[in-house]
Amino acid sequence: MTTLSYSYMPDYFSLTDILCTEERISCKVEVTLPRLGFLDLSSESEDLKIGTKLELPLWLAQPLNIARESIVSVDIPKTYKEGYREILLADACTVVLNKWNPYYYELGMYLRKFNNRDCEIIIDSLLLTFRSRFRLVMDWAQNPVSDPTLNSLLPRLERDLFLAGRKAKLQLNEWLKKGSNVIETSQSAVNLKKRKRTDYELD
Amino acid sequence: MDPSKIEFLGEKQLVNIVPNFNLDIIYLISGSVGPFRAGLPVKVPIWLAVSLKQKQKCRIINQEWMNIESLNDRKEMEKMSKLFTEMPSNHYIDESQILLNVANDDIPDADRIRTSVKDIWDIRMSKLRTSVDAFVKSEGVHARLDHLTAMEINSIRPLLPHALDQMLRIQSANMGEINSQYSGKK
């Protein structure tokens, strides 16, 4: 499945990555920012004062936080904090992770970049969560489940896995049922764009 | 990979047939087959056997392992063992699918063989699912599964490799090695 391989590395064109970095993070301003008062709708002043709390998208919060003198300090979203991590530790399979955040894993990996003492624990917790939920995803993918809401229960990363697994399973079932079918030309061979003789002679 | 591609690979396996015509050796890129003498058994690839059978030019002799006793023995062994037992052929499920479909009349006990092969397949698939889950949970980095056949390996693709990739991705985020458009270096 091509969409999945695009999301492996956050590259410039990865839609998952773009949507994930849209996520709002609550930040606190550490330096007075002149003429940026309009960012905080509640204040009337022209400048953005120290200590103002506001929500910035991840793509903006990160460069502002990473600089030597951080311009904003970042508060990690509550779904990554200890209380929520405990829930995941207890039983990750019962959680509707998509409701917490559709890009739970991706965002968690980005949070690693903030200077926060919890970061390493967050990654460990992500890994553990993924491990224990994998059985769930695999079972759903390999057994016929006719629940249309299933898609909306899984966060993006798991959903891509689920759809790929489901597709393979359907193909296998199809084959087991009716035996052989026509082998299609592989996509890479189609993309070669071999010139047809008819086109060639027309020129 | 599509299961029919695995089946395509499986069709290269050899099978004995009894032709009812005479023909010299046919030279093919993958090797020569023949000569064909009416009434004498000869080994040919399955794809050729299927084509000849459809033209009613031969009778297919079933594979040695395709008899009900040995299959039931294998089934019992598979049930007993915790590990995967060795299968008679790397393409047992596809071979039996093809041969039983096309040469139903040549193979004695075709229906019971079909059921037996399906049982073995089901047992092995459930074993495979359990071991995949155990592997992912165990934090292991490699696993060894002997005697797994082509179609079975294909059945956990792309789910397992993709899941392992994602796990690596999450893990490497902790090492600070993850590439990003923000860090400026790739």
Side-chain angles (χ1 to χ4, degrees), chain A residues 175-191:
Chain A
W175 178 82
L176 282 172
K177 237 189 315 190
K178 71 167 192 174
S180 55
N181 50 356
V182 181
I183 298 180
E184 286 170 16
T185 323
S186 94
Q187 201 55 45
S188 55
V190 174
N191 291 342

Side-chain angles (χ1 to χ4, degrees), chain B residues 29-90:
Chain B
I29 294 176
S30 54
S32 37
V33 289
F36 299 91
R37 295 280 167 265
L40 288 181
V42 59
K43 256 191 178 1
V44 297
I46 290 180
W47 57 265
L48 186 61
V50 168
S51 155
L52 288 175
K53 172 74 191 170
Q54 281 167 345
K55 290 176 192 148
Q56 307 199 325
K57 291 204 179 299
C58 77
R59 185 163 60 82
I60 292 179
I61 304 174
N62 63 348
Q63 307 282 42
E64 283 136 38
W65 50 269
M66 257 192 220
N67 67 67
I68 193 75
E69 283 87 29
S70 80
L71 280 176
N72 279 341
D73 286 350
R74 282 186 192 283
K75 193 167 99 184
E76 287 309 312
M77 260 167 65
E78 190 68 52
K79 259 189 210 160
M80 292 303 173
S81 160
K82 265 183 81 183
L83 303 169
F84 291 93
T85 55
E86 190 173 1
M87 282 289 116
S89 153
N90 192 28

